[in-house]
């Protein structure tokens, strides 16, 4: 159910508590990568909201909150090719989406009798390049590029291509399906434009067309940069919504930087900050201590929505009203199964399925205590395809 209450404001308490917290965390903070870009206008007020955009947003969110979504993915394909090996190269296993998708890969691989090895890139360019180099050196049947830009490992990608090792991405590029540049047999993801649009529309609907928004992103990841850009564009369709700040915090730095940045934002904006959207739910896990120290209620404001990835910890925050009101979850386990299916198609010289799961919004009202979201029936569908 879409919340329809207007956000409240407690600027005095937020500002005093956040200012004190900011002094503390500033003393503890070291040198930080990334930057923050703030909008020139800091007011959350608009001329008259946006009746048309609000009605569109409310209808779209209601549709996306439906939980019983039948399987609309592939139902035909080649039977399982036995005895294959995969290497899953992770941007960082501290990214809940990356860690969640590999669980689906492992589960599906057991069904078809494949082996899976995970190599953690640690979230740094050097670490990711080393991990990809190690993966190619192992000469597996296939390599998963999980959560990072293949362009940052162009030499390793070229080497894998020369060795005829198929590559399948998870959030590696913006669009689902095959990619020529970089050369991916397929990229597994939801449609980024759908995720971005529904995240922004949830804010417009929740705020009744009037909000002051902070956007958290990681511009070092092209997929994330595209998502946050699309979010801000959709928010701009409502004149009553203002982007107060655009916080560029690399995911590997999030645990160290987000509390400090959150305290600074609370001190600066107080009650004008009514909503937040992040390209990954983990930002709200890291922001929670700063919100709590500033006296912000767990149920909001600010009302926070994660535009990915919908890992179990995000659902726990949403369901318990702890500094996150909603998430737009990736069906992580289903995407892991899909990764295995895409490789099986590559090994069988069949075309990629290019499937993208429908967009969904999870709130405490529609999740019913669940800690994941998945389309129904995908395991049975893939087993029938694989003859397993």
């Amino acid at each position: 159910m879409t919340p329809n209450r207007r956000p409240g404001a407690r600027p005095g308490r937020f500002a005093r508590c956040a200012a004190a917290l900011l002094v503390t965390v500033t003393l503890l903070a070291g040198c930080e990568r990334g930057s923050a870009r703030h909008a020139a206008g800091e007011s959350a007020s608009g001329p008259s909201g946006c009746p048309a955009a609000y009605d569109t947003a409310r209808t779209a969110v209601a549709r996306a909150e439906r939980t019983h979504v039948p399987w609309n993915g592939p139902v035909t394909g080649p039977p399982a090719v036995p005895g294959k090996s995969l290497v899953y190269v992770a941007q960082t296993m501290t990214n809940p989406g990356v860690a969640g998708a590999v669980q689906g890969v492992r589960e599906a691989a057991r069904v078809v009798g494949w082996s899976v090895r995970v190599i953690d890139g640690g979230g740094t360019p050097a670490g990711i390049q080393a991990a990809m180099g190690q993966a190619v050196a192992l000469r597996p049947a296939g390599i998963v590029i999980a959560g990072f830009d293949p362009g940052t490992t162009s030499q390793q990608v070229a080497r894998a291509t020369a060795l005829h090792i198929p590559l399948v991405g998870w959030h590696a590029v913006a669009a689902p399906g095959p990619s020529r540049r970089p050369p991916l047999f397929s990229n597994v993801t939801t449609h980024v434009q759908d995720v971005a649009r529904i995240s922004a529309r949830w804010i417009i609907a929740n705020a009744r067309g009037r909000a002051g928004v902070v956007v958290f992103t990681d511009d070092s990841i092209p997929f994330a940069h595209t998502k946050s850009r699309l979010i801000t564009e959709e928010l701009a369709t409502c004149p009553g919504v203002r982007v107060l700040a655009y916080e560029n915090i690399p995911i590997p730095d999030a645990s160290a930087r987000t509390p400090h940045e959150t305290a600074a934002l609370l001190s600066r904006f107080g009650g004008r900050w009514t909503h937040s959207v992040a390209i990954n739910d983990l930002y709200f896990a890291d922001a929670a201590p700063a919100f709590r120290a500033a006296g912000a209620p767990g149920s909001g404001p600010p009302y926070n929505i994660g535009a990915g990835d919908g890992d179990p910890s995000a659902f726990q925050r949403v369901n318990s009203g702890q500094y996150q009101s909603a998430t737009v979850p990736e069906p992580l386990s289903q995407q892991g199964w899909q990764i295995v299916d895409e490789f099986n198609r590559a090994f069988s010289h069949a075309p990629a399925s290019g499937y993208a799961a429908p967009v969904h919004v999870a709130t405490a009202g529609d999740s019913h205590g669940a800690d994941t979201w998945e389309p129904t029936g995908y395991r049975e569908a893939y087993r029938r395809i694989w003859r397993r």
Side-chain angles (χ1 to χ4, degrees):
M1 182 180 299
T2 303
N4 56 13
R5 58 191 175 192
R6 287 291 304 277
R10 302 169 65 188
R13 185 179 182 189
F14 280 10
R16 290 193 300 271
C17 296
L21 177 63
L22 177 59
V23 171
T24 301
V25 297
T26 299
L27 293 174
L28 298 175
C31 297
E32 300 164 338
R33 294 190 288 122
S35 61
R37 299 199 302 271
H38 300 283
E42 296 179 358
S43 173
S45 64
S48 60
C50 49
Y54 168 66
D55 288 343
T56 297
R58 185 173 57 174
T59 300
V61 170
R63 184 170 56 249
E65 286 179 338
R66 293 180 299 184
T67 54
H68 300 293
V69 180
W71 177 244
N72 66 342
V75 293
T76 60
V81 178
K84 298 296 184 177
S85 61
L86 303 180
V87 174
Y88 187 95
V89 181
Q91 178 236 6
T92 171
M93 288 296 284
T94 63
N95 181 327
V98 171
V102 76
Q103 298 307 315
V105 171
R106 284 171 165 155
E107 181 183 20
R110 285 194 293 270
V111 172
V112 294
W114 298 355
S115 65
V116 179
R117 177 170 176 174
V118 177
I119 304 178
D120 190 348
T124 67
I128 293 168
Q129 289 174 7
M132 270 296 290
Q134 185 179 353
V136 175
L138 291 170
R139 297 199 177 190
I143 296 174
V144 184
I145 295 178
F148 63 91
D149 177 10
T152 63
T153 58
S154 57
Q155 292 183 351
Q156 293 83 0
V157 166
R159 177 63 176 158
T161 302
L163 292 171
H164 305 289
I165 300 173
L167 306 174
V168 171
W170 181 87
H171 288 210
V173 294
S179 169
R180 292 183 62 188
R181 295 183 181 179
L184 302 178
F185 178 79
S186 192
N187 181 55
V188 176
T189 180
T190 49
H191 287 286
V192 65
Q193 62 269 30
D194 293 343
V195 174
R197 186 179 298 118
I198 201 65
S199 302
R201 286 178 172 176
W202 182 88
I203 290 176
I204 293 170
N206 178 267
R208 293 179 174 265
R210 294 186 182 274
V213 184
V214 172
V215 178
F216 293 93
T217 190
D218 180 351
D219 280 345
S220 70
I221 303 173
F223 181 89
H225 175 71
T226 298
K227 185 189 293 185
S228 56
R229 176 179 57 80
L230 293 170
I231 287 170
T232 58
E233 289 176 359
E234 185 66 26
L235 290 172
T237 65
C238 179
V241 173
R242 297 287 185 265
V243 175
L244 303 176
Y246 182 100
E247 294 293 317
N248 174 26
I249 303 174
I251 285 175
D253 299 344
S255 61
R257 287 199 54 196
T258 305
H260 168 83
E261 300 292 349
T262 301
L265 291 164
L266 286 168
S267 180
R268 180 178 181 185
F269 297 116
R272 289 177 293 167
W273 179 8
T274 66
H275 291 76
S276 312
V277 57
I279 55 92
N280 192 299
D281 295 295
L282 64 83
Y283 289 99
F284 298 127
D286 297 325
F291 284 132
R292 190 173 294 112
S299 58
Y303 302 100
N304 303 319
I305 180 169
D309 293 308
D311 67 286
S313 67
F315 274 85
Q316 290 165 14
R317 289 190 297 276
V318 169
N319 292 334
S320 61
Q322 291 298 305
Y323 306 104
Q324 187 166 347
S325 299
T327 182
V328 183
E330 296 286 316
L332 298 174
S333 179
Q334 178 271 316
Q335 289 177 339
W337 280 63
Q338 183 181 347
I339 287 169
V340 169
D341 183 62
E342 300 292 5
F343 275 118
N344 192 61
R345 292 168 188 270
F347 301 150
S348 303
H349 306 288
S353 78
Y355 174 70
V359 72
H360 176 66
V361 173
T363 66
D366 66 58
S367 69
H368 306 295
D371 62 2
T372 59
W373 178 79
E374 309 285 348
T376 59
Y378 70 89
R379 288 183 176 88
E380 295 80 3
Y382 283 126
R383 281 180 174 273
R384 285 193 293 268
I385 291 171
W386 301 334
R387 320 295 198 265
R388 295 301 175 94

